[in-house]
Every structure is written in structure tokens, then in C-alpha cells.
Amino acid sequence: MGEHTAPLFPQEVIDEYAALGVDLPALFSAGHLGERMGVTIVEAAADRVVGTMPVEGNTQPYGLLHGGASAVLAETLGSIGSMLHGGATKIAVGVDLNCTHHRGARSGLVTGVATPVHRGRSTATYEIVITDEQDKRVCTARLTCLLRDAPRPDAG
């Protein structure tokens, strides 16, 4: 489903997350569900996360992009932004996701862009706008994540 590229991270950042049991490169590949759906993370920072997903293979019986597929893309992007905002000492857990579907998509790639609405100490909320290849809005979503303390690695 297309070539997957992942953002590059400094080794010390990868090591910091690995110490907490988080495989940062795997996270940014969008995980197992994201891989099955063809999600690719293009850009990742606490203030903006961009990803793409093919419509093909992610449709409902009428041949349109499935609303649940849009929700997966939105939650993936918003969760990554929340995790980056929280840093290595926090884990982001989605607690609320809502999606408004504006139009159908039948082919090509959709692109999601997550930007913060609120970034606090205990929660982070992101708006995710998903557009088609003609830059027409397909879906608008909002995700709120709870930022919990990450488990401390065992001292050995």
C-alpha cells in the first residue's frame, strides 16, 4: 500500500522511550492496526502531526472511506501529538474521540493533520482535519487524551 517512511529521531530520544518500554519507531509506524490500514506518519511534533492513509482497503460496503477508518487515522495522529507533548515521563490515553464526516472519498489517499487545541499537564486535545487529494475536507475530528505518568522501568 505504498512506501512507508517514518520520521527520524535522535538515538538519545529513542533510548529514552525504550527505557520505558516504548518502541518509538514502531509507534510512529502507527502500530499494528495502522500498518494494516496503510497509515503512514509523514511529520510528527507536539504542535503538528501529519499522516496519510489509502482509501482502498478501508472502505465500507458502498465503496466510500469507512468512518471508522477516518477515526483510526484521527486517533493515531492525535495520540502521537499528545504523547510528544507529554514527553517520555507520560503516556497518552485517549478518553474522547468525536468525528464529523463531511464527504465521501472513493479512491486515492486521505491526509490528516492534527494540531493542538489544548496542551495541559493532565490532558491534551487535538483537532484533526482529514482531506482528500483535492484538498476537500472529508472529516473533522477532535481527540482528548489523558496524560498519565509512565510506568517506571524496573531498576533490575
Side-chain angles (χ1 to χ4, degrees), residues 64-122:
L64 298 170
L65 178 65
H66 195 291
S70 294
V72 166
L73 179 60
E75 185 150 1
T76 298
L77 301 178
S79 292
I80 289 171
S82 296
M83 191 235 15
L84 288 171
H85 164 64
T89 62
K90 299 285 185 178
I91 59 171
V93 180
V95 294
D96 182 63
L97 173 68
N98 68 69
C99 301
T100 300
H101 306 287
H102 304 292
R103 70 176 58 244
R106 292 189 177 276
S107 63
L109 283 177
V110 291
T111 300
V113 178
T115 54
V117 174
H118 166 77
R119 290 188 290 179
R121 288 177 294 163
S122 60

Side-chain angles (χ1 to χ4, degrees), residues 13-28 83 88 90-91 150-151:
V13 174
I14 293 172
D15 294 344
E16 181 181 8
Y17 279 89
L20 299 170
V22 176
D23 182 348
L24 193 61
L27 175 69
F28 280 84
M83 191 235 15
K90 299 285 185 178
I91 59 171

